[in-house]
Amino acid sequence: DAGVIQSPRHEVTEMGQEVTLRCKPISGHDYLFWYRQTMMRGLELLIYFNNNVPIDDSGMPEDRFSAKMPNASFSTLKIQPSEPRDSAVYFCASSPLAGIDEQFFGPGTRLTVL
Amino acid sequence: TQLLEQSPQFLSIQEGENLTVYCNSSSVFSSLQWYRQEPGEGPVLLVTVVTGGEVKKLKRLTFQFGDARKDSSLHITAAQPGDTGLYLCAGDDQGAQKLVFGQGTRLTINP
């Protein structure tokens, strides 16, 4: 299996622009998670899905952030409009049967908002 | 939300030395996981501990789960440069199907 795939790996954009991050989970995994990692705040859970349904979005910072999972093999995290404080590494992870089982992380997207 | 505190936050030692890092909480967890993250990559699971008092060994790494299932430790014997990375502990969040992660210990092993 190719593992969790994320794109792009790096994104540099200007404040106010829309940013879309993409994730392809491991086939057959029921859970998908979006995390944000910074030096100051560590690894923060933004939102997670079970069988394509959003279960908990309490970690989403504000209305500028939105996430979708239209099917079992694709998810997006969108930031509109982006701000410099959104600069971070964003990880997607998937888990086979339970959210508290081993999570398989993608390589991350490093986002820089100027 | 349950919190996990890891210490130390940063540790830099020489190759061949031993070290221990800690993961503590005031809450009880049904299980704890340890991940290692290398620069430019996502975290990768090292081990899961589920029973209070449990000890698991992975080559030179020894993981222990506290008797009360509130804390865990990771001991590395004869550290090598390849052990360099960010070590994260994670526990289940109050029965929800998600993990809460500690802030991590950033370990550097100098040749």
Side-chain angles (χ1 to χ4, degrees):
Chain A
D1 200 315
V4 175
I5 299 173
Q6 290 186 247
S7 65
R9 290 296 310 275
H10 302 273
E11 177 81 30
V12 180
T13 190
E14 293 189 347
M15 182 174 63
Q17 296 299 306
E18 178 179 296
V19 175
T20 300
L21 310 181
R22 296 173 176 80
C23 174
K24 176 178 170 56
I26 294 173
S27 177
H29 282 196
D30 290 342
Y31 286 82
L32 183 139
F33 303 83
W34 281 102
Y35 291 90
R36 177 172 68 177
Q37 187 176 44
T38 61
M39 286 293 290
M40 289 296 295
R41 300 176 67 88
L43 194 63
E44 302 174 277
L45 177 65
L46 300 177
I47 185 171
Y48 77 95
F49 296 82
N50 178 26
N51 292 322
N52 314 337
V53 176
I55 302 300
D56 184 348
D57 65 354
S58 59
M60 297 286 262
E62 50 198 270
D63 292 345
R64 297 185 298 107
F65 286 67
S66 62
K68 294 182 179 180
M69 192 166 185
N71 57 63
S73 60
F74 184 66
S75 178
T76 60
L77 178 68
K78 185 176 294 186
I79 308 173
Q80 166 64 17
S82 58
E83 297 182 2
R85 59 190 168 126
D86 301 330
S87 297
V89 181
Y90 291 80
F91 287 101
C92 175
S94 68
S95 184
L97 292 175
I100 58 174
D101 287 343
E102 175 181 3
Q103 294 188 8
F104 295 80
F105 285 78
T109 294
R110 181 173 295 277
L111 174 65
T112 303
V113 183
L114 303 174
Chain B
T1 300
Q2 297 166 293
L3 295 176
L4 285 167
E5 295 185 359
Q6 292 190 244
S7 61
Q9 290 188 46
F10 300 92
L11 183 59
S12 180
I13 64 171
Q14 294 301 119
E15 182 177 359
E17 294 183 1
N18 302 330
L19 67 106
T20 303
V21 299
Y22 301 92
C23 173
N24 296 303
S25 177
S26 58
S27 304
V28 175
F29 291 91
S30 60
S31 66
L32 273 179
Q33 301 176 15
W34 284 91
Y35 290 78
R36 180 168 65 203
Q37 183 179 12
E38 298 186 15
E41 300 181 7
V44 176
L45 181 70
L46 295 173
V47 77
T48 301
V49 286
V50 296
T51 306
E54 180 178 7
V55 176
K56 280 193 174 179
K57 292 191 175 183
L58 188 66
K59 297 183 180 178
R60 294 175 294 99
L61 279 60
T62 301
F63 303 84
Q64 184 162 7
F65 201 11
D67 291 342
R69 292 185 287 125
K70 293 183 179 181
D71 54 84
S72 182
S73 63
L74 160 58
H75 181 80
I76 301 179
T77 303
Q80 299 179 1
D83 297 326
T84 292
L86 178 66
Y87 288 80
L88 296 160
C89 65
D92 59 297
D93 188 7
Q94 294 178 323
Q97 288 295 319
K98 60 181 180 178
L99 298 174
V100 57
F101 281 83
Q103 290 280 77
T105 292
R106 196 167 297 275
L107 176 64
T108 302
I109 309 300
N110 303 301

